Amino acid sequence: MKTMYEKLGDERLKQLVDNFYDQVFENEIIGPLFANSEPDLVRDKQFCFLTQFLGGPLRYFEKYGNPKMRMRHMPHKIDEKAKDEWLRLMKIAINKLDWEEEHKIALYNCFPTLAAHMQNH
């Protein structure tokens, strides 16, 4: 059985990351969390993390070390509103992909537990 990463592929994953961050950086709720971040670096880290998270090569680990995502997000206030906004923007980004609806649903379903894990307030 193919992993979600294998189904998605690099090209579509890059499109997902771009679709997502095109919204995030301008978003009034979660955009401020990225105010002092380098956009290209944020996109690359997300691409590498999602590759790994969705069952692909260990790109994040090889390039940036152990993901430890909860720890990396602790300096930022991530409340329920921010978590819900993150999920809303991810759903929009996924729905922009040229992909079968059942795959979009399956991909989105990978994220609610992850987003809840990042919530720290």
Side-chain angles (χ1 to χ4, degrees):
M1 185 177 334
K2 287 185 171 185
T3 66
M4 182 57 69
Y5 167 79
E6 291 170 324
K7 293 175 189 175
L8 189 62
D10 275 349
E11 186 177 322
R12 204 175 278 123
L13 179 57
K14 286 178 184 173
Q15 183 184 9
L16 173 65
V17 170
D18 285 340
N19 290 348
F20 180 69
Y21 281 104
D22 287 349
Q23 300 172 87
V24 166
F25 293 132
E26 303 299 321
N27 186 274
E28 63 185 40
I29 297 170
I30 62 175
L33 297 173
F34 299 92
N36 297 319
S37 301
E38 172 57 46
D40 289 339
L41 180 60
V42 170
R43 288 174 195 259
D44 186 61
K45 285 183 174 184
Q46 182 77 304
F47 174 77
C48 291
F49 174 75
L50 290 180
T51 296
Q52 194 166 316
F53 174 71
L54 297 171
L58 301 178
R59 287 179 174 148
Y60 191 97
F61 185 82
E62 291 167 356
K63 196 167 184 178
Y64 299 107
N66 191 319
K68 299 181 184 178
M69 285 299 154
R70 181 152 169 83
M71 182 197 76
R72 293 179 193 271
H73 286 78
M74 285 308 273
H76 310 288
K77 182 183 176 194
I78 303 173
D79 58 14
E80 188 169 1
K81 185 176 180 181
K83 175 201 69 153
D84 290 346
E85 187 68 0
W86 190 96
L87 286 168
R88 186 181 78 79
L89 297 180
M90 182 56 76
K91 187 173 223 171
I92 292 168
I94 290 168
N95 284 331
K96 289 181 179 181
L97 297 175
D98 182 19
W99 209 22
E100 294 83 11
E101 190 64 26
E102 73 249 21
H103 292 317
K104 291 178 183 182
I105 292 166
L107 177 59
Y108 176 79
N109 286 335
C110 294
F111 293 114
T113 301
L114 176 66
H117 185 66
M118 296 303 133
Q119 186 177 332
N120 56 31
H121 284 285

